[in-house]
Amino acid sequence: MGGSCVPTLRRLPAWKRTGSRFRHPAQVISTGFGAAVATGTALLSLPAATQSGHRAPLVDALFTATSAVCVTGLVTVDTGSYWSGFGQVVILLLIQAGGLGIMTLATLFTVLLSRRLGLRARFLAQAETRSLSLTDVRGVVRRIVLFSLISEAVVAVVLTLRFATAYDESLGAAAYDGVFHAISAFNNAGFSTNVDSLVRYVTDPWINLTITGAVILGGLGFPVVFELLRCWRRPARWSVMTRLTVTLTATLLALGTLVFTLAEYANPRTLGPLSVPEKFLAGFFASTMTRTAGFNSVDIGAMRPESLLASDVLMFIGGGSAGTAGGIKVTTFGLLAFVLWSEMRGETHVNVGRRRIPPSNQRQALAVALLSATAVATATFVLVAITSYGLEPILFEVVSAFATVGLSTGITGSLPPQADLLLAVLMFAGRIGPLTLASALALRDRTRRYELPEERTIVG
């Protein structure tokens, strides 16, 4: 029998301390992200955070802080012209903190200060990093931070050189733009210092491919990346999560590129004026950004309805688990697809490759999908009722917020304050995860100590 590239799983005792206010790591993670949003809101509310020197409205500060911590990219004001250098640095730090995970950073600080990591901290780090074993959480956190910083540094160097040599930017300005976009891209945030995002670089393969590479790498998820580094020559020994993530990511990227390129091929407001290679480059960029980065190289508001619908679907699916992408995750989508396939074939178990998926995983995937669909449908209904916009742009905005994408048809800045607050709630829920947020709000675990009689019902 061949070995495995993933650690051996061990059944762990329930983590609960009697009398503790937080009975589940998810509660602490939710609180940590909430504290980061509150801190960011306070800092962005300072007069020094804006170009004008006046305090930003509380809704704008809260919305921007939430978007940054939740690595979304939706903005109510232009990042480059509205926020000062101090404000932009705050946004960048919030993006970095949100991308790595509040609990991951807290664990790293604990390791650096005390060189010790207690069981409670290990559980918190495991819940945030989605690592499968508690035996090496400290090493996992170190590798996450190191890998993230190295990746961002490489992307920043490439972008800096390109901005300086091809666009006549000074070295200082090029370095600032390079670092800002590198951190924003790797963390799938989509924030840009340019008012038109990356539209001005639509024909530049150096910038487009560098940004997309960072987005894909950050969106795969740290466990998948580490496993690929260990076992990239032996796909047969990949875990189920890695197989699903890599296969579906490649498939959705290819399908998205084809759909966007064909749908916008003759659109004079998007891909029409570009050459054939440039059309495919822009199509690939658009497909990647819906996975969920938020940059755009063409005007989203000028896209055809079929492209917007394809974007809604891709944004809702999202990227890899434990990465910086959002959505319900490709693993959730893949598991549901295998559940459907097994049901259609009349099989009693759901198998992926040579592994059987436990019923608990199937229920989790179903719960995440249904909770997410419910949140999107409810928010869309409310926003259609309280705004003057139609279903199409509102649905796009809602999915983009909940999936922490950051793409917009251009209506974000003109929405009423109550709509902005609702989108902020969606971004927060989407970053934490519907199932994680629900478990964080639960007061206690309930275990049924008896079984009820079974009865089948008609389905369909």
Side-chain angles (χ1 to χ4, degrees):
M1 296 294 290
S4 175
C5 292
V6 295
T8 302
L9 301 182
R10 299 187 301 168
R11 182 175 294 277
L12 301 173
W15 180 70
K16 185 190 301 186
R17 189 175 65 183
T18 304
S20 174
R21 182 177 180 181
F22 299 109
R23 297 180 178 270
H24 195 280
Q27 291 178 293
V28 186
I29 292 171
S30 301
T31 304
F33 274 93
V37 170
T39 302
T41 301
L43 292 175
L44 292 178
S45 297
L46 297 175
T50 64
Q51 295 276 13
S52 63
H54 300 292
R55 290 184 180 274
L58 180 60
V59 172
D60 291 334
L62 173 63
F63 190 94
T64 304
T66 306
S67 183
V69 172
C70 299
V71 290
T72 304
L74 285 176
V75 293
T76 54
V77 293
D78 178 56
T79 303
S81 61
Y82 186 84
W83 302 109
S84 65
F86 170 76
Q88 292 176 25
V89 170
V90 170
I91 292 172
L92 207 59
L93 293 176
L94 294 176
I95 291 172
Q96 187 74 82
L100 289 176
I102 301 300
M103 291 303 103
T104 303
L105 290 176
T107 304
L108 176 65
F109 293 152
T110 302
V111 172
L112 294 178
L113 293 176
S114 65
R115 296 292 181 181
R116 299 180 60 186
L117 194 61
L119 183 61
R120 178 184 176 88
R122 285 175 179 265
F123 268 98
L124 296 179
Q126 184 201 26
E128 175 58 28
T129 62
R130 272 70 163 183
S131 54
L132 299 178
S133 173
L134 293 181
T135 58
D136 192 31
V137 173
R138 182 164 55 185
V140 168
V141 172
R142 285 173 174 169
R143 291 195 295 272
I144 286 175
V145 175
L146 184 61
F147 177 76
S148 299
L149 296 179
I150 292 176
S151 300
E152 291 169 355
V154 172
V155 174
V157 169
V158 175
L159 293 178
T160 297
L161 294 176
R162 188 61 178 174
F163 289 146
T165 57
Y167 297 94
D168 296 327
E169 290 189 20
S170 66
L171 185 59
Y176 180 80
D177 286 342
V179 170
F180 192 99
H181 287 90
I183 294 176
S184 184
F186 181 80
N187 291 287
N188 280 215
F191 277 85
S192 176
T193 53
N194 304 319
V195 67
D196 61 350
S197 189
L198 300 179
V199 173
R200 65 187 66 179
Y201 310 119
V202 63
T203 61
D204 191 327
W206 280 95
I207 293 179
N208 280 261
L209 295 179
T210 300
I211 293 289
T212 54
V215 168
I216 294 171
L217 190 61
L220 283 176
F222 300 115
V224 172
V225 171
F226 290 155
E227 186 173 342
L228 290 177
L229 291 175
R230 291 194 305 267
C231 305
W232 66 275
R233 292 184 177 180
R234 294 167 288 179
R237 298 173 62 180
W238 290 355
S239 66
V240 171
M241 183 174 71
T242 297
R243 291 183 183 183
L244 288 176
T245 301
V246 172
T247 302
L248 287 175
T249 295
T251 301
L252 293 175
L253 284 174
L255 288 176
T257 301
L258 185 63
V259 169
F260 286 125
T261 303
L262 293 180
E264 301 296 323
Y265 195 90
N267 187 346
R269 300 175 61 190
T270 55
L271 305 188
L274 306 178
S275 65
V276 174
E278 292 170 349
K279 292 178 191 292
F280 278 96
L281 177 64
F284 176 69
F285 189 88
S287 178
T288 304
M289 293 309 115
T290 56
R291 305 310 314 292
T292 52
F295 295 108
N296 61 283
S297 62
V298 295
D299 183 7
I300 301 297
M303 281 186 168
R304 300 187 189 279
E306 52 267 38
S307 297
L308 296 178
L309 179 59
S311 298
D312 291 337
V313 174
L314 292 174
M315 290 190 298
F316 187 76
I317 296 174
S321 299
T324 53
I328 64 171
K329 311 297 185 184
V330 291
T331 48
T332 303
F333 178 76
L335 284 180
L336 291 177
F338 274 99
V339 169
L340 177 61
W341 177 246
S342 298
E343 189 65 29
M344 292 174 63
R345 298 181 63 182
E347 297 180 353
T348 57
H349 299 293
V350 177
N351 302 317
V352 179
R354 297 183 178 180
R355 294 291 185 270
R356 179 167 56 90
I357 306 300
S360 59
N361 261 171
Q362 301 172 38
R363 292 194 300 269
Q364 289 170 1
L366 182 61
V368 168
L370 288 180
L371 284 173
S372 301
T374 301
V376 168
T378 303
T380 300
F381 178 85
V382 172
L383 289 184
V384 168
I386 66 176
T387 68
S388 58
Y389 294 102
L391 176 61
E392 189 174 88
I394 290 296
L395 177 62
F396 189 95
E397 200 82 7
V398 167
V399 176
S400 180
F402 184 79
T404 66
V405 180
L407 293 173
S408 175
T409 56
I411 68 173
T412 311
S414 57
L415 292 174
Q418 58 267 33
D420 290 334
L421 293 176
L422 177 57
L423 291 178
V425 172
L426 284 174
M427 289 188 289
F428 187 84
R431 177 63 181 95
I432 301 300
L435 199 60
T436 303
L437 187 61
S439 63
L441 297 176
L443 294 177
R444 67 179 67 181
D445 295 328
R446 294 177 174 86
T447 302
R448 188 180 295 273
R449 301 185 183 279
Y450 58 90
E451 293 290 340
L452 296 175
E454 182 179 276
E455 179 180 346
R456 290 183 177 272
T457 185
I458 297 177
V459 177

